[in-house]
């Protein structure tokens, strides 16, 4: 039984989008405007009006979560009629379904295997080994990223036209040819193949294309601004017959170009599909009007956009706060103070979020929250001291400080690679246990007794001699702990490994290490720093229940919170310098869209901040407020006293303050900290 009330709960624009069924339709759905409700209501309406049977409707999402949510909503509206909705899913799941029916056209059997990232990596490693490619210099993940980029552009190996100036492309193309043939031989495909093979089949076999383009009376697509070339091509081929293609999205939230998304798919939709109807969903059901006004004024500075004006059904709400701080540490203090003094009683920790441009920025907030006992979680990432490169650095320092630290020895003895494998390590373990020796002492003894193979002995000797040298540096030469880590990273080969290896994540790893060096400067010596790290990780393990959310703005897309903090709005950091250098104006506009996404995550309060100085890469640097701050409309902003040069230092407490200050000015975090240190 179909629930006919689905139209009654729609606003005018939403209703228009549901009722318009003939021809291509682009729905420009602003943040929080109810796009999922429109898509599901549209499916219900098509079936109720008998415009198509459920199995003649193709509905495409990007994630399994979104597909499941849509399926559940449609089921509530349609009841038993939803059981025939067999073509609702992700791009990959629907393509897999089509490909299994026509596998022979792609030189596969219908029972082909879809390999995951681990299998892909293993296969590339084997190919690199057979082709004498050093994976220390050219990471398998990077190779796969380039191959995936070619597949997203619709290229089989024979169709790739490489940039001869790009040494990596010249090296990777032969690997792509071998990789693709291996997949065919194994009767397998990767995720990129699911769409690529399907598109090639639809292009090369008109009879197959006609089957699907005729069957799919209506096609609906969610988050269309995130589509890449091959996905757009696939949709174009499938809608060839009826042209009833309905795409929903928000060009102002297109922030994934680094994953292959092409905003021009959205911007040029009405040029590709003639007689396109464009409907704007501008009624926002998430945020207060002041938040929307700030976001709308900011994004209006972008030239490449369809354009819309968001209107809230809620009250005006609080002004958006704009805070300036002396430095990054004060920024973390100021935010923690605001949470504890003003917001904690009114909002749950779970409903608060700190959104940063780059993941290394979480460190100062984590340090602060750990210090005052404020629980937090990192969404879409790993906590700072749990990141692999940070744990590697700390392990080196731990072993230098304490030679019996077997856990640290295990972690870094072969990191970077020194031809010291698991078999050797197991042998050292057994020798140490038998002779009651630490792993380091056992390794020395085994070398002395010539119990280690020559190649392994060379790598192990290098490591042990380096340890002695570093201990001498800090104990006799008296270099400080910061200089020690910089020396270790250089002389161990760890820095070179990250810099020279073409790996997509290495830039973030290097940024995190630079942030670690900044953190170390806050401690007097190596011992106090290592103690801090130990306490930080142990304190965190005891937390449960409500937690403040921390994540990058990219990870926040699709989420919403009552209170959102947006720190670090400084030139070079946000907008990010690399984005502008690599993509120019297009990069700047994507950074502005990212700012828009960040602001529109807030339902009730948005707090933007920047600092005048920031401790970055081990040095204090003067910061310049982000150009985006100049683009924020004054009348919707509440600025802190920094803008009037009326700084009240008593407002932002730190733990070195004079204890004579009245306790009423202290936050609960300060009180907890005092109790802990007594």
């Amino acid at each position: 039984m179909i629930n006919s009330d689905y139209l009654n709960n729609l606003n005018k624009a939403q209703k228009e989008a549901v009722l318009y069924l003939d021809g291509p339709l682009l729905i420009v759905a602003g943040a929080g405007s109810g796009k999922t409700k429109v898509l599901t209501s549209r499916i219900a309406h098509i079936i109720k009006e008998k415009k198509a049977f459920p199995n003649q409707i193709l509905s495409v999402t990007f994630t399994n979560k979104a597909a499941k949510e849509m399926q559940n909503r449609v089921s509530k509206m349609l009841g038993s009629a939803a059981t025939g909705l067999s073509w609702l899913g992700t791009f990959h799941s629907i393509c897999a379904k089509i490909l299994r029916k026509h596998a022979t056209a792609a030189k596969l059997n219908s029972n082909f295997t879809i390999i995951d990232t681990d299998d892909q990596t293993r296969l590339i490693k084997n190919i690199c080994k057979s082709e004498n490619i050093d994976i220390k210099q050219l990471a398998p993940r990077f190779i796969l990223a380039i191959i995936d980029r070619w597949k997203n552009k619709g290229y089989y190996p024979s169709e790739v036209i490489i940039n001869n100036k790009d040494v990596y492309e010249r090296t990777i193309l032969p690997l792509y040819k071998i990789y693709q043939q291996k997949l065919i031989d194994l009767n397998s495909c990767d995720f990129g193949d699911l769409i690529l093979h399907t598109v090639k089949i639809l292009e090369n076999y008109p009879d197959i294309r006609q089957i699907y383009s005729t069957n799919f009376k209506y096609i609906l697509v969610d988050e269309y601004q995130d589509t890449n070339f091959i996905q757009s091509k696939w949709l174009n081929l499938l809608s060839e017959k009826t042209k009833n293609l309905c795409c929903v999205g928000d060009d102002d939230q297109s922030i994934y170009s680094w994953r292959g998304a092409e905003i021009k798919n959205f911007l040029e939709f009405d040029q590709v599909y003639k007689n396109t109807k464009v409907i704007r969903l501008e009624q926002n059901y998430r945020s207060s009007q002041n938040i929307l006004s700030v976001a709308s004024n900011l994004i209006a500075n972008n030239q490449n956009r369809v354009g819309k004006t968001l209107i809230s059904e809620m009250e005006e709400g609080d002004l958006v706060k704009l805070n300036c701080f002396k430095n990054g540490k004060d920024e973390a203090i100021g935010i923690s103070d605001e949470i504890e003094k003003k917001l904690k009683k009114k909002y749950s920790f779970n409903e608060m979020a700190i959104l940063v441009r780059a993941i290394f920025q979480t460190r100062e907030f984590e340090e602060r929250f750990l210090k005052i006992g404020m629980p937090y979680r990192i969404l879409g990432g790993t906590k700072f001291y749990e990141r692999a490169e940070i744990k590697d650095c700390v392990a080196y320092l731990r072993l230098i400080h304490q030679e019996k630290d077997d856990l640290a020895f295990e972690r870094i003895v072969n990191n970077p690679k020194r031809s010291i494998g698991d078999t050797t390590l197991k042998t050292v373990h057994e020798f140490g246990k038998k002779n009651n020796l630490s792993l380091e002492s056992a390794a020395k003894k085994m070398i002395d007794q010539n119990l280690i193979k020559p190649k392994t002995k060379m790598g192990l000797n290098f490591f042990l001699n380096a340890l002695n040298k570093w201990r001498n540096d800090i104990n006799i030469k008296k270099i400080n702990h910061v200089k020690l880590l910089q020396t270790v990273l250089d002389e161990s080969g760890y820095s070179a490994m990250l810099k020279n290896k073409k790996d997509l994540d290495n830039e973030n790893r290097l940024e995190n290490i630079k942030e670690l060096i900044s953190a170390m400067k806050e401690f007097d010596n190596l011992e106090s720093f290592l103690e801090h790290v130990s306490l930080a990780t142990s304190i965190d393990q005891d937390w449960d229940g409500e937690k403040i959310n921390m994540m990058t703005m990219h990870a926040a897309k699709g989420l919403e919170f009552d209170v959102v903090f947006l720190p670090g709005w400084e030139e070079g950091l946000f907008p990010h310098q690399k984005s502008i250098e690599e993509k120019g104006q297009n990069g700047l506009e994507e950074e502005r869209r990212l700012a828009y996404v960040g602001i529109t995550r807030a339902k009730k309060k948005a707090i933007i901040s920047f600092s005048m100085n920031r401790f970055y890469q081990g040095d204090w640097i003067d910061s310049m407020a982000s150009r985006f701050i100049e683009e924020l409309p004054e009348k919707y902003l509440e600025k802190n006293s920094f803008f009037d040069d009326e700084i009240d230092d008593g407002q932002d407490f730190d733990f070195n303050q004079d204890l004579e200050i009245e306790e009423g000015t202290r936050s609960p975090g300060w009180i907890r900290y005092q109790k802990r240190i007594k």
Side-chain angles (χ1 to χ4, degrees):
M1 184 72 181
I2 298 175
N3 185 349
S4 58
D5 292 338
Y6 62 90
L7 291 176
N8 297 333
N9 299 319
L10 302 173
N11 64 39
K12 185 180 177 182
Q14 289 174 334
K15 192 172 182 179
E16 185 184 8
V18 169
L19 297 179
Y20 187 88
L21 299 179
D22 299 319
L25 173 64
L26 182 67
I27 302 175
V28 186
S33 61
K35 62 180 177 66
T36 305
K37 180 194 283 190
V38 168
L39 281 172
T40 50
S41 299
R42 187 176 166 87
I43 292 171
H45 187 66
I46 291 168
I47 294 171
K48 183 176 180 293
E49 295 298 311
K50 296 183 170 53
K51 292 288 187 177
F53 293 109
N55 67 356
Q56 294 176 316
I57 300 172
L58 171 63
S59 186
V60 193
T61 66
F62 268 88
T63 65
N64 289 318
K65 181 182 177 183
K68 190 175 180 180
E69 182 184 355
M70 193 173 291
Q71 184 74 58
N72 290 338
R73 289 200 192 189
V74 173
S75 295
K76 286 181 181 178
M77 289 182 181
L78 298 180
S80 60
T83 54
L85 207 63
S86 55
W87 293 99
L88 193 161
T90 64
F91 280 96
H92 292 105
S93 67
I94 292 169
C95 281
K97 191 174 178 178
I98 294 173
L99 188 56
R100 290 204 185 277
K101 291 184 179 181
H102 311 283
T104 53
K107 300 178 182 179
L108 294 167
N109 298 324
S110 60
N111 65 340
F112 63 80
T113 302
I114 303 169
I115 65 172
D116 60 18
T117 305
D118 287 344
D119 290 331
Q120 285 180 271
T121 305
R122 196 176 301 112
L123 181 56
I124 284 292
K125 281 181 177 177
N126 291 337
I127 293 169
C128 287
K129 188 176 180 180
S130 65
E131 297 298 307
N132 294 315
I133 302 293
D134 186 1
I135 61 172
K136 293 179 183 177
Q137 302 299 317
L138 198 60
R141 283 187 62 192
F142 178 76
I143 295 170
L144 287 167
I146 299 298
I147 290 173
D148 193 53
R149 188 176 76 193
W150 284 329
K151 290 186 177 184
N152 288 341
K153 294 288 186 182
Y155 300 144
Y156 279 143
S158 60
E159 298 168 317
V160 174
I161 301 173
I162 62 171
N163 178 1
N164 286 319
K165 294 180 180 179
D166 192 325
V167 65
Y168 296 113
E169 286 194 359
R170 288 208 312 270
T171 305
I172 293 171
L173 182 55
L175 303 180
Y176 181 21
K177 291 176 181 176
I178 299 169
Y179 172 76
Q180 207 60 19
Q181 187 57 53
K182 288 279 187 186
L183 288 176
I184 297 294
D185 294 343
L186 293 166
N187 192 37
S188 299
C189 45
D190 60 23
F191 281 95
D193 284 333
L194 293 175
I195 303 179
L196 179 59
H197 286 328
T198 305
V199 165
K200 294 297 185 183
I201 290 169
L202 293 173
E203 281 185 320
N204 298 329
Y205 296 87
D207 54 331
I208 297 175
R209 182 168 74 248
Q210 185 169 355
I211 292 170
Y212 290 98
S213 65
T214 303
N215 179 70
F216 294 137
K217 304 292 186 189
Y218 292 92
I219 301 174
L220 300 88
V221 187
D222 193 15
E223 303 286 6
Y224 187 66
Q225 79 280 348
D226 293 334
T227 55
N228 57 33
F229 171 83
I230 198 72
Q231 290 163 339
S232 177
K233 181 73 175 177
W234 179 71
L235 292 167
N236 185 265
L237 291 165
L238 290 177
S239 62
E240 181 182 72
K241 189 79 173 174
T242 67
K243 304 295 183 184
N244 290 332
L245 174 64
C246 169
C247 292
V248 183
D250 185 2
D251 53 316
D252 291 335
Q253 296 188 67
S254 179
I255 58 174
Y256 296 127
S257 67
W258 50 277
R259 283 195 327 210
E262 297 192 8
I263 192 173
K264 73 175 184 179
N265 291 344
F266 196 98
L267 299 177
E268 298 174 4
F269 185 89
D270 59 348
Q271 298 171 35
V272 175
Y273 300 94
K274 302 300 180 186
N275 302 314
T276 291
K277 174 78 170 176
V278 179
I279 297 175
R280 290 170 172 81
L281 305 183
E282 298 177 310
Q283 186 75 40
N284 176 281
Y285 296 92
R286 175 189 299 155
S287 308
S288 65
Q289 186 59 55
N290 283 332
I291 291 172
L292 295 182
S293 296
V294 169
S296 295
N297 274 266
L298 175 66
I299 201 63
N301 289 278
N302 274 5
Q303 295 177 2
N304 296 310
R305 61 190 294 262
V306 175
K308 62 183 176 300
T309 303
L310 293 183
I311 302 168
S312 177
E313 70 157 11
M314 302 165 61
E315 57 190 23
E316 285 190 357
D318 294 341
L319 295 172
V320 171
K321 279 193 173 183
L322 178 60
N323 294 332
C324 174
F325 295 98
K326 287 183 286 188
N327 52 57
K329 187 176 181 182
D330 278 2
E331 187 176 44
I333 291 170
I335 288 174
S336 67
D337 262 9
E338 181 140 14
I339 291 171
E340 293 225 281
K341 287 182 178 180
K342 298 178 183 178
L343 302 174
K344 188 178 176 183
K345 293 179 182 177
K346 193 173 179 180
Y347 303 101
S348 152
F349 278 163
N350 290 338
E351 288 301 322
M352 297 186 216
I354 298 173
L355 310 184
V356 296
R357 174 59 181 87
I359 194 65
F360 77 86
Q361 291 174 261
T362 67
R363 198 272 306 174
E364 280 187 309
F365 295 100
E366 291 189 60
E367 297 274 16
R368 176 64 178 175
F369 291 175
L370 288 167
K371 199 171 192 179
I372 65 174
M374 191 181 291
Y376 71 94
R377 66 171 67 88
I378 304 287
L379 295 182
T382 309
K383 293 180 178 179
F384 185 79
Y385 287 112
E386 293 175 5
R387 294 167 195 167
E389 61 278 8
I390 301 302
K391 294 178 80 169
D392 290 342
C393 292
V394 171
Y396 269 106
L397 296 174
R398 279 170 46 188
L399 188 58
I400 292 167
H401 183 65
Q402 212 279 88
E403 65 181 32
K404 293 183 178 180
D405 193 332
D406 286 355
L407 292 174
F409 183 95
E410 281 184 300
R411 184 174 185 92
I412 46 98
V413 66
N414 198 40
N415 188 12
K417 300 291 184 187
R418 303 186 181 96
S419 302
I420 305 166
D422 292 340
T423 304
T424 301
L425 200 54
K426 185 181 178 183
T427 307
V428 174
H429 256 293
E430 291 170 351
F431 187 90
K433 187 176 180 181
K434 184 179 178 181
N435 295 281
N436 197 27
L437 297 170
S438 68
L439 292 182
E440 184 179 341
S441 297
K444 289 177 181 174
K445 205 85 164 172
M446 290 178 72
I447 288 173
D448 292 340
Q449 297 180 15
N450 209 25
L451 299 175
I452 304 288
K453 293 179 180 178
K455 187 178 179 181
T456 305
K457 183 179 177 180
M458 188 183 299
L460 199 52
N461 251 330
F462 169 84
F463 179 65
L464 295 172
N465 290 335
L467 283 174
N468 288 333
K469 191 257 180 194
W470 297 328
R471 287 175 185 139
N472 182 69
D473 285 345
I474 195 166
N475 294 325
I476 299 174
K477 291 185 179 180
K478 300 296 183 183
I479 69 169
N480 66 33
H481 53 298
V482 179
K483 180 65 178 174
L484 174 67
L485 178 58
Q486 292 169 327
T487 303
V488 168
L489 291 169
D490 288 340
E491 295 181 356
S492 67
Y494 197 94
S495 289
M497 174 185 73
L498 293 183
K499 289 175 183 175
N500 298 334
K501 189 176 183 180
K502 197 64 179 175
D503 191 326
L504 297 174
D505 293 330
N506 277 358
E507 188 174 330
N508 283 336
R509 294 187 185 111
L510 287 165
E511 288 285 1
N512 285 330
I513 290 173
K514 290 169 184 174
E515 187 63 20
L516 178 68
I517 291 169
S518 295
M520 291 177 69
K521 288 195 175 184
E522 297 179 17
F523 298 87
D524 294 331
N525 51 53
L526 179 60
E527 188 174 7
S528 61
F529 170 70
L530 291 174
E531 185 177 322
H532 167 76
V533 174
S534 298
L535 289 172
T537 50
S538 64
I539 290 170
D540 189 43
Q541 290 170 359
D542 297 331
W543 287 340
D544 55 17
E546 289 189 358
K547 298 178 182 179
I548 292 167
N549 304 285
M550 274 195 270
M551 70 204 80
T552 63
M553 282 181 267
H554 282 103
K557 188 171 178 290
L559 304 178
E560 58 182 45
F561 305 92
D562 285 340
V563 182
V564 170
F565 292 91
L566 298 153
W569 281 41
E570 297 138 31
E571 281 294 305
L573 187 55
F574 191 49
H576 203 283
Q577 190 63 32
K578 185 185 176 188
S579 184
I580 296 173
E581 287 175 354
E582 291 183 352
K583 303 175 196 172
Q585 184 65 23
N586 290 336
L588 176 61
E589 293 207 353
E590 182 159 341
E591 291 287 295
R592 192 176 282 112
R593 292 195 292 271
L594 191 57
Y596 173 85
V597 167
I599 295 170
T600 55
R601 298 312 92 194
K603 294 194 288 186
K604 297 175 181 177
K605 287 182 177 289
I607 301 100
I608 298 167
S609 59
F610 66 97
S611 64
M612 297 187 297
N613 296 279
R614 194 164 291 276
F615 202 53
Y616 183 62
Q617 300 186 11
D619 294 303
W620 284 104
I621 59 169
D622 292 331
S623 302
M624 184 184 296
S626 169
R627 69 190 73 186
F628 296 156
I629 287 175
E630 291 293 317
E631 298 170 358
L632 303 177
E634 291 272 348
K635 66 178 180 178
Y636 303 115
L637 298 179
E638 176 190 344
K639 299 180 179 180
N640 72 344
S641 57
F642 251 103
F643 291 90
D644 302 319
D645 294 319
E646 297 174 359
I647 304 164
D648 183 0
D649 288 329
Q651 292 298 310
D652 298 319
F653 74 89
D654 203 350
F655 300 132
N656 62 359
Q657 290 184 90
D658 190 347
L659 298 182
E660 296 297 318
I661 296 177
E662 293 181 13
E663 191 156 298
T665 67
R666 308 293 193 180
S667 78
W670 183 88
I671 297 167
R672 288 196 301 273
Y673 180 76
Q674 290 300 314
K675 287 178 179 177
R676 202 164 71 221
I677 62 175
K678 285 179 179 176

